[in-house]
Amino acid sequence: ERDIVSIALLFGVFAEQALAGASGPRIGYTVWESTRYPEDWLRSLESMDRVWVPTHWGRDVLLANGMAPGLVSVVPEGVDAAVFNPDVSPAEAIASSPGFKFLNIGRYEKRKGTRDLILAFDAEFGTNDDVLLVIACDNPHATDFDLTREIRSLSLRHPENLVFVPPVARHDSLVGLYTACDAFVSPFRAEGWGLPIMEAMACDLPVIVTDYSGPTEFLGDHAYRLDYNLVDIDEPYFEVSSGNLGQWAEPDFMHLRHQMREVYQNREKASELGRRGGQHAREKFSW
């Protein structure tokens, strides 16, 4: 007879409560983005029999926050290669637009670098460049978030080069968006894993991403990696009694501009890297 194993896949702070009274081993699967864990998360996770994290970077962060090494194991996330692959028909509304298309998918927030990406793209590409930045973004966690107001506040030179995709009802509705575009770009400050990056790779897109945190688990030699510096986080996004929010990356946005220009101009090389990255993602990280 085998033990019943209970696994909580949710914010670490809720793991203890969610598995209260569970028989057999209790496992908390958690994903976090900064170098500093909230104290209530640590207390909850330390009550587990095991803690799973998706990356070795994430494990190192937990250990640096005082978690016992024997408690923490790396269990990677992955991608459904039967859904995310380059053979999926592209979304017609995007594919029919002329020009080279960069894609970004994710919450509109500082951690994801959305605003900085838009500003860097607008500064780098002008009227003589046949290029679009396609962004699927929202921020349901910010009750006052207004995308139109946010974009107007940026005073962009070429707002006509941006295409915004509204939220979709089904996860697999995004696949055609990947295959309709030519490259994926994400100048994030920190990621626990980075699922859209892996989905983009699985669809053979070359990816331009910050060379830090969770995605380093799966990028291999197939990504355009952005330089960065580690900086103290100055924007509170969790409560901590000490006031220490930890650190995350500050991407080099001039390097971002250079990398976008490189991919735009040297498309054959970028496509080859994308194909190799796609094979890597589908073979090594498929469900």
Side-chain angles (χ1 to χ4, degrees):
E1 227 177 85
R2 296 183 179 180
D3 286 334
I4 295 174
V5 178
S6 299
I7 306 175
L9 297 94
L10 73 179
F11 283 169
V13 67
F14 299 124
E16 184 176 15
Q17 177 184 347
L19 298 184
S23 61
R26 298 174 305 149
I27 299 173
Y29 191 107
T30 190
V31 180
W32 187 244
E33 290 87 16
S34 87
T35 60
R36 178 78 174 183
Y37 261 80
E39 293 156 355
D40 51 356
W41 282 50
L42 289 172
R43 286 193 298 268
S44 178
L45 292 171
E46 285 171 345
S47 72
M48 299 289 101
D49 296 296
R50 299 289 298 179
V51 176
W52 289 354
V53 292
T55 70
H56 288 84
W57 174 84
R59 183 177 188 273
D60 290 342
V61 168
L62 263 181
L63 301 190
N65 278 259
M67 191 73 71
L71 191 65
V72 188
S73 298
V74 175
V75 179
E77 295 187 35
V79 66
D80 188 349
V83 174
F84 293 92
N85 62 74
D87 298 326
V88 175
S89 298
E92 180 59 30
I94 301 299
S96 61
S97 298
F100 189 93
K101 303 173 191 70
F102 289 101
L103 174 65
N104 175 266
I105 295 177
R107 189 188 309 167
Y108 191 110
E109 63 177 0
K110 183 174 182 177
R111 180 174 66 82
K112 297 284 190 180
T114 322
R115 179 180 185 273
D116 305 281
L117 167 61
I118 294 171
L119 289 172
F121 175 84
D122 187 63
E124 181 62 30
F125 297 104
T127 53
N128 295 326
D129 298 304
D130 190 16
V131 59
L132 295 174
L133 175 60
V134 180
I135 300 183
C137 69
D138 193 11
N139 193 339
H141 298 279
T143 55
D144 61 344
F145 179 73
D146 184 315
L147 180 59
T148 301
R149 183 181 63 205
E150 172 69 18
I151 298 306
R152 285 175 178 168
S153 75
L154 301 181
S155 301
L156 300 176
R157 300 182 310 147
H158 303 289
E160 68 279 3
N161 290 339
L162 271 63
V163 176
F164 290 94
V165 178
V168 297
R170 290 176 52 85
H171 186 67
D172 55 11
S173 300
L174 289 173
V175 188
L177 193 55
Y178 289 110
T179 56
C181 294
D182 301 289
F184 188 87
V185 56
S186 180
F188 58 81
R189 288 176 167 84
E191 288 280 10
W193 176 259
L195 187 58
I197 301 166
M198 168 150 282
E199 292 171 348
M201 289 179 66
C203 292
D204 280 5
L205 290 189
V207 297
I208 305 171
V209 292
T210 313
D211 189 19
Y212 178 68
S213 64
T216 58
E217 192 82 6
F218 59 80
L219 290 176
D221 299 324
H222 318 100
Y224 292 83
R225 299 179 181 231
L226 299 176
D227 296 337
Y228 69 91
N229 290 309
L230 277 180
V231 299
D232 293 338
I233 299 172
D234 59 3
E235 183 176 289
Y237 67 107
F238 68 91
E239 295 182 5
V240 57
S241 60
S242 67
N244 179 7
L245 300 170
Q247 293 186 311
W248 58 20
E250 182 64 20
D252 183 334
F253 290 102
M254 286 303 297
H255 192 214
L256 169 63
R257 290 176 57 176
H258 172 81
Q259 295 286 54
M260 287 193 293
R261 177 64 67 177
E262 166 70 18
V263 170
Y264 174 70
Q265 290 184 333
N266 297 288
R267 304 181 190 184
E268 187 173 335
K269 175 186 174 183
S271 293
E272 175 57 25
L273 273 178
R275 285 190 291 271
R276 286 165 46 196
Q279 183 177 9
H280 169 73
R282 294 189 301 271
E283 290 182 356
K284 302 294 185 183
F285 291 94
S286 170
W287 286 0

